[in-house]
């Protein structure tokens, strides 16, 4: 699609959604030339959002600000068929990312996510304990569907690529402050400037805190309130332009968070095994032992009401333009993270099941690319290596199937992973209107793990190798100057592994194989009308050798174990994203996703999961509407009115239909009213988040006699934001 054929109004529509500019630029300059900034790097090449033959949503800094998105979880509210929740041992550091019915809600070191999360192209092996906040981010790209060639392992459902603002020659210092209800205080500082003719630097620091929503009622001096937030993070990057053809970029980022446990309670259900509730010396769990306020926690275990996580990472990249045709890129990275958390599963003063937990991981990676652009063809190729070494442990826990009320247990899992890959992806223009492309990737994982659990006589050591060849083919055709139609077939895979919680004994701690997927997709992108742009995708995805996470309360207490390659599933659906310019000053962005996803086949002998069950944390409907209205003032300033609505329909807490684990639908509404001064360097905003104070469940897990309910920490909040730019 040729950019010069788009009308000025269309340029303004897209620019308003993907660039962060001052008020005057939003009204004028953006209409003229800002569309060139609407680029994505989803295929590791820079291209127009509309020309990329895949389902991708690009959320720019302006929308992140106007929709009050502060972390990765918020991104999940505005992308079709994307759902992001937090459940890991009560720690808000965890993000369970699900795209089109594929994801993983566990976090133990032996589990791998079904959706890959990347920071400036660096794969994050652990989403527990990583920096998932979004200060000073340029954009977030969400790729839906298996990404088998360029991203490879653990992108079975898709990939989320967070792209930060890079060092440049723009001399600017931006300060932001935020105060609001519930004790909200936040602020950040962003700096970007050229230090010399060849060296530039960017730096940011951010702090946020908020009061809790409940208390640990049975603890005399709780360390934290339930739901309390306190976090500090920062990032610094340097770019050295050695020659006109060679540039080096170095970055360092870190995060430190000390917060309260996410709100958690239980609901009593009919015991799955009537004998378990009064077995031996264990007391009966009754409703009067559960705090009346579901945001309160009834535990008597000191310290379990608080959580923490910290981590830091560094990366080094070299970009070399070899000549007019070939370019090369090298990326290396090291990251480390650790966390503490835990759950009192029965949420009461009884010592039935408590798990204080710690975990951490170190990772490093290397990637080298050789890329080329010819008259009618381009390609991206590369070699990749990734190493991760991590652990999950729980000390002094009480677990009724294995302990008496006065005894304690211990478990620990360690794992090291080495991953290797080689890939090639190319595109070719057959005519001015017709392009074809495809790619091939070989991936290999080597894993070594060991574990000790109460049911193990001794520590067990295991190892396994996994490999896969994945590919994709695509074709795109320009229907008119403003419309693009594409079709693609993708094969992706998720590496195999070991069960995260083999409480049933050492025989459970054995490897399961890779899960594979084939995705068939057609799409339509572009300008439907002078005032309307759209992106439409229709897809069918078949998953085979599906390793299903499932908690079985009847065999070792309600904890997640992996059912070894239990079956197959099919997902089919439609995604529609539109932007409509009602007038030059009034636009409406919307996104609707429909997903029909179910388990289509279950292996013989597998208990609990049935054909027709839905995958976990997968709503059938996802809806987002975000209107924006601009008003010019007589003094040259601008008023901007932004609202946002997000809907997620009913879903299941596990990959099985169980009424007690049904998560109800939820609707969230927010707004921003901003004033920008005539110079465009100062902005004052009145904001509201979750203004209807919708309290919703983010996880439900059936256990013996009760269902554990992880409640949202996303509550109503109103306040003021102040932003000021200083030219340097």
């Amino acid at each position: 699609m040729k950019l010069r054929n788009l009308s000025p109004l269309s340029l303004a529509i897209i620019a308003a959604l993907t660039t962060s500019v001052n008020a005057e630029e939003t009204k004028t300059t953006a209409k003229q030339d800002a569309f060139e900034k609407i680029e994505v790097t989803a295929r590791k090449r820079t291209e127009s959002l509309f020309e990329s033959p895949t389902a991708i949503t690009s959320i720019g800094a302006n929308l992140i600000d106007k929709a009050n998105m502060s972390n990765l979880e918020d991104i999940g509210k505005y992308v079709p068929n994307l759902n992001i929740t937090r459940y890991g041992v009560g720690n808000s550091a965890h993000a369970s990312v699900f795209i089109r019915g594929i994801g993983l809600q566990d976090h133990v070191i032996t589990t791998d996510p079904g959706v890959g999360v990347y920071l400036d192209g660096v794969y994050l092996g652990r989403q527990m304990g990583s920096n998932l906040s979004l200060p000073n981010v340029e954009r977030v790209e969400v790729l839906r569907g298996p990404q088998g060639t360029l991203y490879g392992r653990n992108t079975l459902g898709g990939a989320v690529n967070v792209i930060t603002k890079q060092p440049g020659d723009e001399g600017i210092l931006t300060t932001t402050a935020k105060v609001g209800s519930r004790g909200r205080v936040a602020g950040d500082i962003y700096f970007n400037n050229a230090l010399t003719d060849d060296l530039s630097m960017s730096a940011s620091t951010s702090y946020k805190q908020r009061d809790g929503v409940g208390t640990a009622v049975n603890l005399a001096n709780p360390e934290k309130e339930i739901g309390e937030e306190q976090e500090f993070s920062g990032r610094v990057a340097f770019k050295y332009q050695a020659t006109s053809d060679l540039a080096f970029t170095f970055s360092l980022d870190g995060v430190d968070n000390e917060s309260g446990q996410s709100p958690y309670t239980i609901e009593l259900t009919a015991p799955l095994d009537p004998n378990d509730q009064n077995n031996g010396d264990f007391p009966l769990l009754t409703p009067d032992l559960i705090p009346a306020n579901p945001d309160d926690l009834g535990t008597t275990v000191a310290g379990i009401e608080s959580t923490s996580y910290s981590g830091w990472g560094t990366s080094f990249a070299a970009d070399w333009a070899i000549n007019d045709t070939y370019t090369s890129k090298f990326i290396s990275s090291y990251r480390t993270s650790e966390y503490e958390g835990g759950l009192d599963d029965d949420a009461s003063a009884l010592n039935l099941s408590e798990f204080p937990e710690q975990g951490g991981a170190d990772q490093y990676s290397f990637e080298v690319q050789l890329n080329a652009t010819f008259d009618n063809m381009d390609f991206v190729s590369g070699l990749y290596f990734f190493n991760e070494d991590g652990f999950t442990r729980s000390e002094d826990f009480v677990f009724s199937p294995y302990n008496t009320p006065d005894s304690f247990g211990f478990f620990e899992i360690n794992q090291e992973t080495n991953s290797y890959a080689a890939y090639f992806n190319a595109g070719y223009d057959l005519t001015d209107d017709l392009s074809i492309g495809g790619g091939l990737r070989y991936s290999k994982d080597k894993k070594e793990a060991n574990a000790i659990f109460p049911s193990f006589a001794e520590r067990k050591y295991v190892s396994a190798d996994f490999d896969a060849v994945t590919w994709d083919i695509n074709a795109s055709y320009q229907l008119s100057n403003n419309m693009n139609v594409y079709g693609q077939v993708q094969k992706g895979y998720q590496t195999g592994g070991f069960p995260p919680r083999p409480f049933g004994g050492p025989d459970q701690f054995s490897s399961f194989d890779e899960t594979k997927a084939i995705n068939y997709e057609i799409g339509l992108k572009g300008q439907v009308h002078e005032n309307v742009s759209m992106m439409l995708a229709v897809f069918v995805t078949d998953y085979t050798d599906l390793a299903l996470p499932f908690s079985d309360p009847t065999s070792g207490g309600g904890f997640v174990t992996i059912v070894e390659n239990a079956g197959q599933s099919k997902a089919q659906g439609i995604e529609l994203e539109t932007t409509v310019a009602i007038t030059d000053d009034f636009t409406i962005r919307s996104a609707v996703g429909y997903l029909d996803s179910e388990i289509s086949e279950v292996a013989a002998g597998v208990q609990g999961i049935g054909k027709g069950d839905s995958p976990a944390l997968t709503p059938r409907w996802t809806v987002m509407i975000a209107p924006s209205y601009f008003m010019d003032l007589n003094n040259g300033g601008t008023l901007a009115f932004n609202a946002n609505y997000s809907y997620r329909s009913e879903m299941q807490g596990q990959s099985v239909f169980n009424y007690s684990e049904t998560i109800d639908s939820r609707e969230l509404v927010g707004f921003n009213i901003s004033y920008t001064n005539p110079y465009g360097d100062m902005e004052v905003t009145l904001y509201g988040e979750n203004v209807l104070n919708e309290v919703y469940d983010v996880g439900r897990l059936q256990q013996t006699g009760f269902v554990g309910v992880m409640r949202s920490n996303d509550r109503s909040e109103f306040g003021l934001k102040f932003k000021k730019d200083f030219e340097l």
Side-chain angles (χ1 to χ4, degrees):
M1 181 173 58
K2 307 301 187 291
L3 303 182
R4 63 176 179 270
N5 293 321
L6 289 177
S7 70
L9 181 57
S10 298
L11 304 187
I13 294 172
I14 308 301
L17 298 175
T18 56
T19 59
S20 180
V21 293
N22 65 37
E24 190 63 27
E25 289 173 334
T26 303
K27 298 293 291 178
T28 58
T29 307
K31 293 184 178 181
Q32 299 169 6
D33 62 4
F35 187 88
E36 280 78 1
K37 301 177 184 178
I38 314 311
E39 58 187 28
V40 293
T41 54
R43 296 197 299 159
K44 299 193 177 181
R45 47 167 73 81
T46 300
E47 59 189 345
S48 162
L49 176 67
F50 287 164
E51 290 175 341
S52 179
T54 190
I56 175 175
T57 299
S58 181
I59 298 180
N62 189 54
L63 182 59
I64 290 174
D65 180 51
K66 301 309 179 188
N68 303 313
M69 302 181 195
S70 61
N71 53 54
L72 195 64
E73 180 185 12
D74 293 331
I75 296 293
K77 303 171 185 176
Y78 299 97
V79 178
N81 288 331
L82 169 67
N83 191 51
I84 301 178
T85 63
R86 296 182 173 188
Y87 190 83
V89 290
N91 196 315
S92 60
H94 186 236
S96 297
V97 186
F98 282 71
I99 297 179
R100 294 180 177 178
I102 291 295
L104 187 67
Q105 62 202 92
D106 213 327
H107 61 278
V108 174
I109 190 63
T110 53
T111 62
D112 289 287
V115 173
V117 176
Y118 295 78
L119 177 64
D120 291 329
V122 174
Y123 173 70
L124 303 182
R126 293 297 111 189
Q127 293 164 19
M128 169 68 89
S130 297
N131 186 358
L132 302 177
S133 297
L134 300 175
N136 301 304
V137 165
E138 179 181 318
R139 68 183 183 276
V140 178
E141 298 175 355
V142 180
L143 293 75
R144 300 185 297 278
Q147 305 298 315
T149 299
L150 295 175
Y151 292 90
R153 70 190 297 268
N154 302 331
T155 55
L156 192 69
V160 178
N161 196 7
V162 179
I163 300 167
T164 64
K165 296 178 181 178
Q166 296 298 300
D169 56 8
E170 175 191 23
I172 190 171
L173 175 67
T174 300
T175 61
T176 303
K178 180 179 179 180
V179 293
S181 59
R182 302 187 186 276
R184 171 66 71 192
V185 176
D188 65 75
I189 300 173
Y190 172 72
F191 167 87
N192 194 328
N193 200 16
L195 304 181
T196 69
D197 290 342
D198 303 321
L199 181 65
S200 57
M201 171 188 174
S202 68
S204 64
T205 181
S206 178
Y207 175 80
K208 63 180 180 180
Q209 70 174 40
R210 197 204 71 180
D211 293 342
V213 297
T215 60
V217 295
N218 291 321
L219 295 179
N221 297 294
E223 295 178 358
K224 295 288 183 180
E225 294 180 332
I226 303 303
E228 178 183 349
E229 297 177 353
Q230 183 176 338
E231 180 178 295
F232 176 80
S233 63
R235 178 181 177 85
V236 62
F238 295 90
K239 183 175 181 180
Y240 176 60
Q241 195 71 44
T243 70
S244 59
D245 299 323
L246 180 62
F248 302 99
T249 304
F250 170 82
S251 68
L252 173 68
D253 68 272
V255 62
D256 184 77
N257 182 295
E258 294 184 2
S259 297
Q261 184 187 101
S262 298
Y264 174 82
T265 188
I266 68 169
E267 296 175 4
L268 295 178
T269 61
L272 299 183
D273 183 350
N275 296 320
D276 280 349
Q277 281 292 299
N278 283 307
N279 186 22
D281 296 326
F282 295 105
L284 180 66
L285 182 60
T286 56
D288 59 291
L289 297 175
I290 304 168
N293 180 356
D295 285 331
D296 289 340
L297 184 64
T299 187
T300 56
V301 180
I304 208 170
E305 79 285 4
S306 64
T307 68
S308 66
Y309 62 90
S310 61
W312 61 272
T314 182
S315 68
F316 173 79
D319 292 270
W320 179 29
I322 301 172
N323 53 40
D324 291 341
T325 300
Y326 292 96
T327 62
S328 179
K329 185 170 187 176
F330 171 76
I331 307 173
S332 64
S333 175
Y334 172 81
R335 304 195 68 83
T336 182
S337 63
E338 58 184 19
Y339 72 90
E340 292 186 3
L343 283 178
D344 187 327
D345 284 335
D346 55 87
S348 72
L350 300 179
N351 296 125
L352 297 180
S353 178
E354 292 96 18
F355 282 85
E357 187 178 287
Q358 299 175 341
D362 299 327
Q363 69 167 69
Y364 60 89
S365 63
F366 302 94
E367 184 172 4
V368 60
Q369 297 177 8
L370 177 63
N371 311 322
T373 302
F374 304 93
D375 289 340
N376 297 322
M377 174 186 172
D378 65 0
F379 71 77
V380 177
S381 64
L383 299 173
Y384 176 75
F385 172 75
F386 170 85
N387 171 273
E388 178 187 63
D389 192 355
F391 71 94
T392 306
R393 72 168 64 101
S394 183
E395 301 178 359
D396 295 337
F397 73 83
V398 176
F399 189 21
S400 56
Y402 297 110
N403 309 103
T404 68
D406 297 322
S407 68
F408 298 91
F410 168 86
F411 78 78
E412 181 181 68
I413 297 184
N414 301 285
Q415 179 175 275
E416 182 175 7
T417 298
N418 286 297
S419 179
Y420 312 82
Y423 61 85
F424 180 85
N425 185 280
Y428 183 77
D429 296 330
L430 292 174
T431 69
D432 289 343
D433 298 324
L434 179 61
S435 299
I436 60 173
L440 195 67
R441 183 184 186 104
Y442 174 73
S443 303
K444 183 177 182 65
D445 290 300
K446 295 183 177 181
K447 294 186 176 184
E448 296 181 350
N450 63 80
I452 182 71
F453 277 77
S455 56
F456 289 27
E458 59 183 2
R459 185 178 294 271
K460 182 176 181 179
Y461 294 82
V462 292
S463 63
D465 294 349
F466 312 95
D467 64 354
V469 175
T470 54
W471 48 265
D472 70 87
I473 56 174
N474 62 76
S476 61
Y477 183 77
Q478 185 172 289
L479 294 175
S480 66
N481 289 336
N482 298 328
M483 295 299 297
N484 238 7
V485 63
Y486 72 88
Q488 67 172 353
V489 182
Q490 304 160 292
K491 180 180 180 181
Y493 98 108
Q494 180 178 7
T495 181
F498 308 102
R501 293 183 177 86
F503 282 102
D507 291 343
Q508 286 187 352
F509 195 53
S510 59
S511 65
F512 56 89
D513 294 332
E514 309 92 340
T515 298
K516 302 178 180 65
I518 300 250
N519 180 61
Y520 307 89
E521 181 174 311
I522 58 174
L524 182 67
K525 299 182 177 184
Q527 187 181 359
V528 181
H529 180 270
E530 180 183 2
N531 299 342
V532 180
S533 66
M534 65 168 284
M535 293 186 290
L536 173 69
V538 180
F539 62 91
V540 176
T541 312
D542 292 315
Y543 302 96
T544 57
D545 296 324
L546 198 63
L548 291 171
F550 178 66
S551 174
D552 183 1
T554 65
S555 60
F559 295 91
V560 175
T561 58
I562 294 285
V563 178
E564 180 177 347
N565 304 114
Q568 303 179 19
S569 74
K570 170 174 280 191
Q572 52 194 357
I574 186 170
E575 297 156 349
L576 175 64
E577 299 176 84
T578 63
T579 302
V580 180
I582 307 300
T583 69
D584 284 356
D585 302 317
F586 182 29
T587 62
I588 299 176
R589 174 173 177 162
S590 66
V592 178
Y594 171 78
L595 181 64
D596 179 14
S597 181
E598 66 177 28
I599 309 299
S600 58
E601 185 176 320
V602 179
V606 174
Q607 302 295 319
I609 302 173
K611 182 177 179 180
D613 285 340
S614 297
L617 301 179
T618 301
R620 184 175 292 264
W621 287 98
T622 56
V623 179
M624 182 278 293
I625 302 173
S628 299
Y629 179 73
F630 298 91
M631 177 186 299
D632 290 327
L633 302 178
N634 292 333
N635 69 346
T638 301
L639 278 178
F641 301 86
N642 295 273
N644 52 83
Y645 168 85
S646 171
Y647 172 78
R648 294 296 182 266
S649 64
E650 181 182 280
M651 64 189 100
Q652 285 292 310
Q654 290 195 83
S655 296
V656 60
F657 179 78
N658 189 338
Y659 181 77
S660 67
E661 293 176 312
T662 299
I663 297 174
D664 292 336
S665 63
R666 61 109 177 107
E667 298 177 273
L668 302 176
V669 179
F671 70 85
N672 266 32
I673 303 174
S674 303
Y675 167 75
T676 304
N677 71 353
Y679 305 101
D681 60 2
M682 185 188 73
E683 183 179 76
V684 179
T685 301
L686 172 67
Y687 74 90
E689 301 179 26
N690 190 6
V691 297
L692 303 179
N693 198 29
E694 179 96 343
V695 181
Y696 52 95
D697 299 339
V698 297
R700 295 179 70 91
L701 184 65
Q702 179 66 58
Q703 302 193 45
T704 304
F706 62 89
V707 58
V709 181
M710 187 63 69
R711 292 159 56 84
S712 66
N713 198 32
D714 177 17
R715 306 301 171 90
S716 63
E717 183 178 317
F718 301 88
L720 290 173
K721 293 190 292 185
F722 176 82
K723 180 179 178 182
K724 174 64 176 176
D725 295 333
F726 300 91
E727 292 187 6
L728 302 177

